[in-house]
Each structure stands twice: as structure tokens, then as C-alpha cells.
């Protein structure tokens, strides 16, 4: 299953909706696509276990905090892709930008504001993770067409919050959820495809996650300090 040229054009033509809500952290990610033998694939990374990373061990796209030295949010996404997965993204690889996303609220303030940029290099790619990366996965979009890959998952900081999720590899504890899954759902909406891996109930819940509010007491002390330091 491939993303067509026409669908890529929809991403290219999309004008992202601006948002200016206050958040503790501004970040940017690179959603990198390639056409492989199993159709179009998305590059995902599993973050290394690290006590100073609030998203330690989670599945994500290459990306991170927008630094003061970055010329733009897109420049930050390109820099992070080079640093984390050793891919030198070029302007000719760029497809377009999705709408910005916000993480869950903590004490009525968003934890993170993320800008999402889509790239599709036509050359062969050989990503290599740095010390921040435990594993790299090229996930075929066909994997997201199978409802059997859906997964029951609860927020690691609050087990009363059920999160729509996709199980990639149980042995490696690779679960796709949260912001990364929301980015994929937004990509699917933009190219007008159903995200069949999720039920209608889970899909609706995914779109409403940023309306949820978490008490900061649910966060461990290290995570609270890191988020406040990065504000």
C-alpha cells in the first residue's frame, strides 16, 4: 500500500492551522516516508531509556526541542533528524507541514507544542540511531490498516487515562500512542484515508486528548523538573 502522488500533493498544499496556546516546551519532528517492498513506510524510533527524558522508551518520530539557534521549526526538525538518526534531509525531500499539536495538559498548561514536518526522500536511506535511540522501525502504513494491531494502553503517568494505541512489537515494548499516533491520524485525515487500526471510539478519543488535564502530582519528580527547566 502506497501513498500516492496525489495524496502527497494534498500534504504539500495544506496550510497548517496556527495555534498559540501556552506550553512548557516547543518542539519539532520529522515524519520521514519511504516507498519500500511493503508499500509506503514511516520511520519511527524507540527512545533509549534515560532518567532525564520524559518520553524515555517511547516510540516517536525523530525530533526534539526547538533551540534558540534554529532558524525555524522546520530547521529544528531537520537538525534533530541528522543528530538522532543520521539522515541529512534536503529541501527537495520536503513535502509539507501538518497542523501543530499539543500534548496533554498538566495543571491546565500544555506540556508540549509540536510542529510536524513531512519528508519523502527519493534516494535510498540508511538511518542510524545515536545514543538517544534504542531501536529504529520502518513501519508500513499497511500495518495501520489491521484492527488486530490495536492495543489497550493506559497513560504511564495516570492509569485512569486510557490511551488509543497500536502494538508494534510486544517483546521490545514498542507501543505507538500519544502524540506520535495523533500525528499519524492527522496525516491520514489530510490524505483522506481511514485509520482502520483504531475503532471509531478510539479515533474520537485520540482527537480529544489535548482537552484532557492531568494533575502534576501524577508526574514523577524528575519529569516535573525537566519540563519546568525546558519551559
Amino acid at each position: 500500500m502506497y501513498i500516492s502522488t496525489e495524496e502527497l500533493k494534498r500534504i504539500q498544499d495544506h496550510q497548517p492551522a496556527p495555534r498559540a496556546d501556552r506550553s512548557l516546551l516547543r518542539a519539532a519532528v520529522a515524519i520521514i516516508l519511504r516507498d519500500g517492498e511493503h508499500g509506503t513506510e514511516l520511520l519511527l524510533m524507540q527512545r533509549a531509556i534515560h532518567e532525564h527524558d520524559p518520553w524515555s522508551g517511547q516510540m516517536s518520530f525523530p525530533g526534539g526541542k526547538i533551540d534558540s539557534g534554529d532558524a525555524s521549526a522546520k530547521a529544528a526538525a531537520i537538525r534533530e533528524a541528522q543528530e538522532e538518526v543520521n539522515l541529512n534531509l534536503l529541501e527537495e525531500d520536503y513535502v509539507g507541514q501538518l497542523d501543530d499539536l499539543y500534548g496533554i495538559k498538566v495543571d491546565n498548561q500544555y506540556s508540549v507544542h509540536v510542529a510536524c514536518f513531512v519528508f519523502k526522500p527519493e534516494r535510498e536511506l540508511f538511518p542510524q540511531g545515536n545514543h538517544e535511540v534504542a531501536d529504529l522501525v520502518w513501519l508500513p502504513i499497511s500495518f495501520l490498516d489491521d484492527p488486530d494491531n490495536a492495543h489497550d494502553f493506559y497513560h504511564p503517568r495516570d492509569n485512569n487515562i486510557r490511551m488509543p494505541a497500536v502494538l508494534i512489537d510486544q517483546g521490545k515494548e514498542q507501543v505507538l500512542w500519544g502524540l506520535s499516533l495523533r500525528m499519524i491520524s492527522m496525516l491520514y485525515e489530510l490524505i483522506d484515508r481511514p485509520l482502520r487500526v483504531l475503532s471509531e471510539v478510539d479515533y474520537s478519543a485520540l482527537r480529544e486528548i489535548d482537552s484532557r488535564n492531568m494533575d502534576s502530582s501524577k508526574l514523577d519528580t524528575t519529569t516535573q523538573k525537566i519540563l519546568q527547566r525546558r519551559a
Side-chain angles (χ1 to χ4, degrees):
M1 180 177 296
Y2 293 92
I3 293 178
S4 69
T5 302
E6 179 183 338
E7 289 169 328
L8 290 173
K9 185 69 164 55
R10 292 180 192 170
I11 301 171
Q12 183 180 28
D13 292 342
H14 178 64
Q15 297 298 313
R19 292 183 65 177
D21 305 76
R22 177 169 166 74
S23 65
L24 292 171
L25 173 67
R26 289 191 67 237
V29 302
I31 300 175
I32 303 170
L33 308 176
R34 75 170 185 185
D35 288 340
E37 60 178 307
H38 302 295
T40 300
E41 301 169 335
L42 301 148
L43 180 62
L44 292 167
M45 50 179 261
Q46 183 176 25
R47 305 189 68 84
I49 302 296
H50 196 293
E51 63 177 341
H52 296 307
D53 182 358
W55 298 278
S56 173
Q58 296 181 21
M59 301 302 295
S60 70
F61 292 106
K65 180 185 176 183
I66 300 173
D67 291 337
S68 58
D70 292 318
S72 64
K74 185 170 81 169
I78 291 172
R79 173 183 55 77
E80 288 284 346
Q82 201 286 321
E83 291 176 358
E84 291 185 330
V85 297
N86 197 33
L87 289 181
N88 184 27
L89 297 174
L90 308 174
E91 187 59 36
E92 64 197 51
D93 303 328
Y94 179 61
V95 179
Q97 182 179 355
L98 306 182
D99 292 344
D100 289 357
L101 284 178
Y102 284 79
I104 199 166
K105 288 180 181 177
V106 179
D107 289 344
N108 292 307
Q109 182 170 245
Y110 288 112
S111 56
V112 64
H113 171 189
V114 187
C116 319
F117 301 91
V118 181
F119 298 84
K120 190 173 184 290
E122 293 303 321
R123 61 193 178 281
E124 193 169 1
L125 301 176
F126 301 95
Q128 293 179 309
N130 69 358
H131 65 280
E132 299 176 68
V133 181
D135 198 13
L136 293 172
V137 176
W138 283 107
L139 187 73
I141 61 171
S142 57
F143 191 88
L144 302 170
D145 263 356
D146 188 350
D148 287 342
N149 294 324
H151 183 59
D152 283 332
F153 185 76
Y154 291 85
H155 198 287
R157 307 299 184 192
D158 188 343
N159 58 16
N160 290 314
I161 301 179
R162 182 181 178 278
M163 307 291 289
V166 177
L167 181 62
I168 297 174
D169 188 313
Q170 187 166 8
K172 294 182 178 181
E173 298 184 353
Q174 293 179 341
V175 179
L176 177 61
W177 66 284
L179 280 167
S180 296
L181 185 55
R182 287 171 62 200
M183 292 172 201
I184 291 174
S185 73
M186 191 162 53
L187 177 69
Y188 268 63
E189 287 180 9
L190 189 54
I191 63 177
D192 198 24
R193 287 196 187 200
L195 189 59
R196 295 190 177 92
V197 69
L198 299 180
S199 68
E200 283 297 324
V201 171
D202 278 349
Y203 197 57
S204 295
L206 193 67
R207 290 196 295 265
E208 296 170 0
I209 282 175
D210 65 2
S211 66
R212 302 292 296 269
N213 188 54
M214 181 185 290
D215 188 328
S216 63
S217 65
K218 298 289 186 180
L219 304 180
D220 59 71
T221 304
T222 299
T223 300
Q224 291 183 49
K225 289 180 178 178
I226 292 168
L227 287 175
Q228 291 295 339
R229 188 168 65 242
R230 290 180 174 180

